[in-house]
């Protein structure tokens, strides 16, 4: 437990103690752990599915299909060690064109490290059934050791997302390139053992997935008809699968992640929409008996 509690701090602090600048991808800083309960309940197989405020994180192209302005709020406490929160807003400015913004923050329970991301998104239809979205991100981070400031960092990044529909929208393909471009600069606080600064890039990622939706009601165009959504995705070389059964305002979700490490195994969740409020919950299991829960609230205005 002690090792887990200090992992993120050590992964940041150790480079700060080096006297020679390095230039390599960051594997721990600003790690994408998968926020928002809806996508997490489906095992993270969401690149082809995203179309609400979760698209700010999972695939910005999905924002172009947002039917109405929306605010999304999510909180996650990861294994009792790290707290993650996100507040996002997305607003269509015209048909199939949407702008969005989000604030993501994380910190450990002992206050050793803090990370924040300010995200701006834009999505549009390029041609019929083809949507593209981009995220522009600004990162800030700080590390403390026994309440003593050790170092700070700041930088920028960009994501690219694509969604394409087939068979009158029943089949959809999604492609996402998180951190397609990025640069972070770290500076050690004056008075620490090692002085100076260095720059790094975030780990480039890729996700490609597909989803098929089947309406079970007699009227396929009815908003409240029963439907089944099945999704499959390859995320950085590892498979994810998920499904969702929707009956009116109720949604039941199930998924499985074949990834290594803590993010591995069964996911499940549900969602319910009442008037202009939607509530989502997800249970996420991992290796070595670890598990956690996510809660999300979406408001339509």
């Amino acid at each position: 437990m002690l090792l887990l509690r200090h992992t993120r701090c050590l992964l940041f602090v150790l480079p700060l103690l080096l006297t020679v600048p390095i230039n390599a991808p960051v594997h721990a800083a600003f790690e994408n752990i998968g926020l928002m309960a809806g996508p997490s309940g489906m095992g993270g197989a969401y690149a082809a599915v995203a179309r609400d405020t979760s698209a700010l994180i999972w695939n910005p192209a999905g924002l172009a299909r947002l039917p109405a302005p929306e605010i999304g709020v999510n909180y996650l406490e990861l294994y009792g060690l790290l707290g993650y929160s996100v507040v996002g807003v997305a607003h269509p400015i015209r048909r199939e064109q949407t702008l969005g913004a989000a604030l993501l923050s994380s910190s450990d329970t002992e206050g050793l490290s803090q990370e924040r991301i300010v995200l701006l998104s834009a999505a549009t239809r390029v041609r019929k059934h083809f949507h593209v979205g981009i995220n522009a991100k600004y990162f800030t981070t700080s590390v403390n050791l026994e309440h003593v400031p050790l170092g700070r960092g700041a930088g920028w990044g960009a994501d690219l997302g694509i969604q394409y529909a087939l068979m009158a929208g029943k089949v959809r393909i999604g492609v996402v390139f998180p951190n397609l471009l990025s640069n972070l600069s770290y500076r050690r606080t004056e008075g620490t053992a090692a002085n100076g600064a260095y720059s790094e890039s975030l780990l480039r990622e890729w996700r490609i997935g597909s989803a098929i939706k089947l309406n079970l009601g007699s009227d396929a165009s009815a908003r409240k008809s029963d439907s089944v959504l099945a999704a499959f995705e390859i995320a950085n070389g590892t498979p994810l699968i998920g499904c969702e059964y929707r009956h009116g305002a109720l949604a039941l979700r199930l998924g499985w992640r074949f990834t290594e490490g803590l993010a591995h195994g069964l996911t499940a969740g549900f969602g319910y929409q009442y008037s202009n409020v939607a509530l989502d919950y997800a249970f996420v299991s991992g290796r070595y008996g670890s598990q956690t829960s996510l809660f999300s609230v979406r408001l339509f205005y």
Side-chain angles (χ1 to χ4, degrees):
M1 293 296 294
L2 181 63
L3 177 61
L4 286 173
R5 184 174 299 139
H6 295 284
T7 296
R8 286 181 59 191
C9 181
L10 290 174
L11 288 172
F12 187 99
V13 171
L14 289 178
L16 289 174
L17 301 179
L18 298 177
T19 57
V20 179
I22 60 175
N23 187 6
V26 177
H27 293 266
F30 302 100
E31 183 177 1
N32 181 7
I33 65 165
L35 295 172
M36 304 300 286
S40 296
M42 292 182 61
Y46 220 69
V49 180
R51 62 166 299 181
D52 51 32
T53 45
S54 65
L56 290 162
I57 301 171
W58 291 87
N59 187 348
L63 292 174
R65 301 189 295 124
L66 188 74
E70 182 178 313
I71 297 173
V73 180
N74 174 248
Y75 178 76
L76 163 66
E77 186 174 284
L78 190 61
Y79 314 129
L81 301 176
L82 303 171
Y84 292 83
S85 61
V86 56
V87 178
V89 58
H91 192 102
I93 56 175
R94 61 181 64 180
R95 181 177 172 83
E96 297 185 282
Q97 291 186 354
T98 301
L99 297 178
L103 174 63
L104 297 83
S105 63
S106 66
S107 62
D108 64 277
T109 55
E110 296 187 355
L112 298 177
S113 65
Q114 296 84 37
E115 294 178 351
R116 292 180 178 85
I117 304 175
V118 178
L119 182 152
L120 300 176
S121 296
T124 186
R125 185 187 72 174
V126 177
R127 60 178 61 184
K128 188 176 182 180
H129 304 309
F130 186 75
H131 301 94
V132 174
I134 58 172
N135 287 336
K137 301 181 289 187
Y138 176 71
F139 306 95
T140 59
T141 183
S142 61
V143 171
N144 306 289
L145 194 59
E146 300 296 334
H147 305 290
V148 176
L150 240 173
R152 297 183 181 276
W156 57 271
D159 308 332
L160 173 65
I162 298 170
Q163 282 188 350
Y164 182 70
L166 304 167
M167 300 176 61
K170 294 182 179 179
V171 177
R172 194 169 298 274
I173 297 172
V175 182
V176 193
F177 297 100
N179 306 319
L180 183 63
L181 300 172
S182 66
N183 181 266
L184 292 102
S185 298
Y186 296 91
R187 181 173 295 278
R188 305 172 184 90
T189 303
E190 293 184 7
T192 56
N195 297 315
Y198 66 95
S199 297
E200 296 182 327
S201 297
L202 288 170
L203 179 67
R204 289 190 179 94
E205 302 179 47
W206 60 272
R207 307 170 67 98
I208 180 169
S210 62
I212 180 170
K213 182 178 181 180
L214 301 176
N215 289 298
L216 306 180
S218 58
D219 183 1
S221 63
R223 181 180 178 182
K224 293 188 176 181
S225 63
D226 291 6
S227 64
V228 173
L229 177 67
F232 175 78
E233 185 167 320
I234 301 294
N236 304 313
T238 57
L240 312 169
I241 57 175
C243 63
E244 177 187 79
Y245 169 71
R246 185 172 292 274
H247 175 74
L250 176 66
L252 302 176
R253 305 179 180 104
L254 195 65
W256 188 274
R257 302 169 302 175
F258 295 88
T259 54
E260 295 297 328
L262 295 176
H264 175 88
L266 176 71
T267 69
F270 64 86
Y272 185 79
Q273 181 177 339
Y274 178 77
S275 185
N276 292 334
V277 179
L279 304 176
D280 294 291
Y281 166 80
F283 169 83
V284 179
S285 65
R287 301 188 69 177
Y288 317 118
S290 59
Q291 54 190 238
T292 190
S293 297
L294 290 86
F295 299 90
S296 297
V297 178
R298 293 181 292 125
L299 308 175
F300 313 101
Y301 63 94

